[in-house]
Amino acid sequence: MRNQYLLCLGASGTPFLDAFFTVSGGFLLLSLAPQFNLSTWSAGAYGTSYLFGVMAGSFLVSAVSKKLKTENIYFLSPLAIFILLLSQVLFDSFFYLLAARFLFGFFIGSDYPISQVFFSSQCHTSFKAKGLTLLMSSWYWGAIFAILVFWFASLFSVSSEILLAAPALIPLVVLLTRLPYFSSTSKTSQKSSKNVSSSPISKSWSKESLLNLGFLCAFWTCQCIPVTVILLFGPSIMEALGFSGSGSFFQLSVTYIFFFIGSSCSYLIIDKCTRKFLALITFALMALCLIPLLWADSVSLLIIVFAFIGYAASYGLQTTLDYVYPNEIFEVKIREQAIGVLTCVTRFVSGLSAFFFPYFLSKFSITSIILTAVFILTIGFFSTYLFAPVDACSKND
């Protein structure tokens, strides 16, 4: 048996980097805004450019996955991110940084379907569900790492140039963890290509698969819109809720730690309850935990802290299904396309919400924004209740 954890470590580099780029965007905006005199629309564009890049990359893979050599993406994506991170030191143009953010997203988006499918096809069946929860947990490690980096940077007044280039070590480590599996990736890619290269999407997809794809698009969209805003603009939201300075860092750190705790707990329960039950209960808990924030002006900061803790833990529990569901309900021959489409659709929607959020925050109260988030989560609950499979059935690999 292959070293399952080394395999998992290599694949987990994608969600780790995704989280780091998502969370670091909010902090970088705080340091870049005065330097480049950014408007609310420019700030929205900076947050959205990464998400639209992920959308473009995942669209490429879903559209031409049968013609791509997956090992090229799997090994060259972290290398390209490494080079881009270092190159930011040489440029002082905001438009270059905007383009770099888009390209970071592009390489992450193109790598998402490849790394997940490679992991699920190579790992032992008994380890698959738990291994996928570990992949999801690595997203929160990336978020926590971003918080720590920018907290230390604030303590020592690190320049924005260093902050932009310092994370270059991360994709380099990811590349090294993937090297032992290069030949395996190549063989898997060739085998997959032989099996499905002549099968167009209209014939490869059954009605059941298309219905499941529609459900997962709704599931991911209702889940990711509120959390994208929290992750990208966390410092601004905390400020609007009454936190400032070190208090904002503390609240964000606590929130992201409980994202991770919730995701880690799912490792223990993922095989002990149905997927549908887990999705329903977590949607309900997330909505209930946000409700106290509607009275943020009159409740104590301690209640706000616990509200975010409850939301974060519930979200962490649910997001493991983002990886488990697609790898269980879609057959191998369409799995790359399915994950690519899901990533593309949800990042497009969350990208729009990120683009307009700075404007909405300047025009509407934080209460109105939180009420919208509760409404979206309620839609997610009912769409899951009506359309989710009773339980995920693993397809034969």
Side-chain angles (χ1 to χ4, degrees), residues 172-371:
L172 193 60
V173 172
V174 173
L175 182 62
L176 293 175
T177 60
R178 294 182 177 188
L179 286 178
Y181 293 95
F182 178 76
S183 60
S184 298
T185 310
S186 180
K187 292 175 183 177
T188 302
S189 174
Q190 292 172 6
K191 182 179 178 181
S192 175
S193 177
K194 289 179 182 179
N195 289 338
V196 297
S197 59
S198 61
S199 181
I201 191 169
S202 59
K203 293 182 180 180
S204 299
W205 286 68
S206 65
K207 182 179 179 181
E208 179 188 5
S209 296
L210 290 172
L211 290 174
N212 285 333
L213 182 67
F215 156 68
L216 285 179
C217 282
F219 173 79
W220 274 19
T221 297
C222 293
Q223 176 200 89
C224 72
I225 289 178
V227 82
T228 297
V229 171
I230 291 174
L231 292 170
L232 274 176
F233 301 101
S236 301
I237 293 173
M238 296 306 163
E239 199 171 280
L241 290 172
F243 293 91
S244 61
S246 59
S248 177
F249 273 106
F250 170 76
Q251 175 59 57
L252 286 171
S253 299
V254 169
T255 301
Y256 294 151
I257 287 170
F258 274 88
F259 277 135
F260 172 72
I261 289 174
S263 177
S264 300
C265 288
S266 65
Y267 181 87
L268 303 175
I269 68 172
I270 193 67
D271 293 326
K272 297 180 180 179
C273 63
T274 66
R275 313 297 189 235
K276 185 172 182 177
F277 174 79
L278 183 59
L280 287 172
I281 195 67
T282 47
F283 265 131
L285 288 173
M286 282 190 285
L288 289 173
C289 288
L290 288 184
I291 288 175
L293 301 181
L294 296 173
W295 295 276
D297 293 337
S298 56
V299 300
S300 69
L301 291 180
L302 188 62
I303 292 178
I304 295 176
V305 169
F306 280 108
F308 272 104
I309 285 174
Y311 173 84
S314 303
Y315 180 85
L317 277 171
Q318 187 183 92
T319 49
T320 55
L321 295 176
D322 293 353
Y323 287 14
V324 173
Y325 254 141
N327 285 283
E328 286 187 340
I329 65 178
F330 294 116
E331 296 177 351
V332 173
K333 64 181 180 180
I334 61 171
R335 198 174 291 164
E336 275 183 15
Q337 287 185 333
I339 295 173
V341 170
L342 287 168
T343 306
C344 180
V345 170
T346 54
R347 293 310 172 97
F348 175 74
V349 175
S350 58
L352 288 179
S353 64
F355 180 74
F356 287 106
F357 176 77
Y359 172 78
F360 288 151
L361 188 60
S362 66
K363 296 295 182 180
F364 301 98
S365 67
I366 191 67
T367 301
S368 301
I369 293 171
I370 292 170
L371 187 61

Side-chain angles (χ1 to χ4, degrees), residues 11-179:
S12 66
T14 307
F16 186 96
L17 283 166
D18 182 29
F20 186 88
F21 286 128
T22 300
V23 174
S24 64
F27 290 106
L28 284 170
L29 277 174
L30 294 179
S31 60
L32 294 176
Q35 181 179 345
F36 293 102
N37 194 25
L38 301 181
S39 65
T40 56
W41 294 113
S42 297
Y46 188 77
T48 304
S49 60
Y50 173 75
L51 297 171
F52 278 3
V54 176
M55 181 196 73
S58 58
F59 176 79
L60 171 68
V61 173
S62 63
V64 296
S65 62
K66 304 301 183 295
K67 299 179 181 179
L68 292 175
K69 290 184 177 180
T70 56
E71 67 272 16
N72 291 342
I73 299 174
Y74 192 64
F75 293 99
L76 293 181
S77 289
L79 180 60
I81 292 171
F82 170 76
I83 295 171
L84 278 170
L85 282 167
L86 292 180
S87 72
Q88 291 180 113
V89 179
L90 305 175
F91 293 86
D92 58 0
S93 166
F94 175 72
F95 291 104
Y96 178 81
L97 299 180
L98 198 66
R101 285 279 294 179
F102 176 86
L103 290 174
F104 291 144
F106 181 86
F107 289 114
I108 291 292
S110 61
D111 192 60
Y112 250 126
I114 302 300
S115 58
Q116 279 192 50
V117 172
F118 176 59
F119 172 78
S120 63
S121 63
Q122 293 289 316
C123 73
H124 194 273
T125 304
S126 61
F127 182 72
K128 181 184 293 186
K130 289 187 174 182
L132 290 167
T133 65
L134 291 177
L135 259 66
M136 189 67 245
S137 296
S138 67
W139 200 100
Y140 302 108
W141 276 116
I144 294 169
F145 184 70
I147 290 287
L148 292 175
V149 166
F150 284 88
W151 178 56
F152 280 112
S154 69
L155 291 178
F156 298 102
S157 301
V158 177
S159 67
S160 57
E161 289 80 11
I162 295 177
L163 284 174
L164 287 167
L169 185 62
I170 306 172
L172 193 60
V173 172
V174 173
L175 182 62
L176 293 175
T177 60
R178 294 182 177 188
L179 286 178

